[in-house]
Amino acid sequence: MPQLNPEWFVSQIFWLIILFAILYLLMRQVALPRIAGVIDDRERRINEGLAEAERLRDEAKSAQEDQEQAIRDARAEAQKLVADAQAEVQAESEKRHKELGERLDKDLAEAEDRIARAKQEAMESVQGMAVEVVGLAADRVAGVSVDEKTAAEAVQGVMDQEKA
Amino acid sequence: MASPVKQFEVNPIIPIEVGGLDISFTNSAAFMLLAVLVTTVLTVGAMRHRAVVPDRVQAMVEVFYEFVDNMVYENAGDPGRRYLPFFFSMFSFLLLGDLFGMLPWVGYTFTSHIIILFALALFVFVSVTAIGFWVHGLHFFRMFLPPSVPGALAPLIVPIEIISYLSRPFSLSIRLFANMTAGHVMLKVVGGFVVGLGIVGGILPLVVLLGISLLEFGIAVVQAYVFTVLSVIYLNDALHLH
């Protein structure tokens, strides 16, 4: 078996030492620090990115909350405006309603007054006529002369009787 | 047909002799150099952009790095991380050495050479022992008597522990050597059957050869890993005793 032939042992060990030492030094001085540096750098960047993302998320959250608050405020404001406007319109309408009612009441009262006065006048003129008629009738039918005062009393008595 | 062990032969490419010692640059040395070059090109080259979003090669190198880093950290804790460059180099060196053996026609498996593995294992053994004494001083000897062992058993346990400790470089290197050698001999022998039995008769051994080849790829990775992870565990023993 050639592996057990000591002829090449010295050469094998010599080149192993030289080449492995070169490999070790290259790895220790150049390659591994570089790889470790890249890996650490990546890890750092990822952590930074995560922190940044978290910060931005919080920022967005607070901005959203601000916006929602603004929307709520605006809505409340709008509702208040609408309520005020409604109240104003209502008050105005009630006022007008009341004014109209008062005017109508006044007109009605006047009209009733006028009617009562007209009725009164009419009644008075009817009564005067009746007294006259009574006087004439008594004179003509019975030949009795009745003075105006007596006739008026008689008419008044009949009218009271009628009313009763 | 060539002998199945001919593939392990060492041949000089550039003959060099210094002070009566033959240190020729051989095919074995060439593949060791290739392992160094491939590792360096992959790690240094792929990381040259230092990209935050890696391309495929950079991602592969990073995954490999984190794999070895995790292995060292899990088995030897934080103090073991100081020695990460060594374990990283060793794992890459052995892994590529194993995998170069799977290259068709040109492949050569320098990890099938016991002397290379034994040199590595001995270096690990000596370094780990030195680290153990450096960290714990003479308390390092407590390693040979686990604290849970009753004192009466000490005369039995201590020699066993010492022998097991001393046999580490042998078991470490022979494990990888035997795996590589046996696997490649088997590939060669079954491959010989394929050629020898011709187009019809060779189909069955060809299927077997395919299976063994797949298995060999797995063994190449696993055994390089085992060699490295056992070295890390030895370091852990030295750092933390029992």
Side-chain angles (χ1 to χ4, degrees), chain A residues 2-3 11-12 15 27 34 42, chain B residues 23-24 28 52 62 112 181:
Chain A
Q3 293 102 305
S11 159
Q12 295 275 52
W15 287 106
M27 291 301 111
R34 198 174 285 189
R42 178 177 308 127
Chain B
I23 53 165
S24 300
S28 176
V52 172
E62 285 178 18
S112 69
T181 304

Side-chain angles (χ1 to χ4, degrees), chain B residues 77-114:
Chain B
D78 229 17
R81 273 211 168 120
R82 277 190 59 182
Y83 309 100
L84 175 65
F86 176 78
F87 293 115
F88 184 92
S89 306
M90 190 165 75
F91 188 27
S92 182
F93 190 71
L94 293 174
L95 181 63
L96 289 173
D98 290 356
L99 291 175
F100 287 158
M102 298 305 292
L103 290 172
W105 298 299
V106 296
Y108 184 84
T109 326
F110 66 78
T111 47
S112 69
H113 281 266
I114 183 74

Side-chain angles (χ1 to χ4, degrees), chain A residues 9-24:
Chain A
F9 280 5
V10 175
S11 159
Q12 295 275 52
I13 292 175
F14 173 79
W15 287 106
L16 171 70
I17 291 170
I18 298 283
L19 293 172
F20 191 80
I22 291 172
L23 178 65
Y24 172 72

Side-chain angles (χ1 to χ4, degrees), chain A residues 83-144:
Chain A
D84 286 357
Q86 270 176 344
E88 206 171 301
V89 167
Q90 182 119 17
E92 179 77 4
S93 128
E94 266 169 18
K95 201 178 118 206
R96 285 194 190 175
H97 195 75
K98 208 172 134 199
E99 274 174 11
L100 186 63
E102 278 168 2
R103 214 172 64 218
L104 287 176
D105 285 351
K106 209 176 105 206
D107 287 357
L108 191 62
E110 273 172 15
E112 276 174 350
D113 204 31
R114 262 201 321 272
I115 290 167
R117 252 186 291 131
K119 198 175 162 190
Q120 183 76 26
E121 276 168 19
M123 288 298 278
E124 276 166 10
S125 79
V126 166
Q127 201 170 355
M129 253 192 308
V131 169
E132 223 169 294
V133 169
V134 165
L136 286 174
D139 189 31
R140 214 84 37 101
V141 175
V144 182

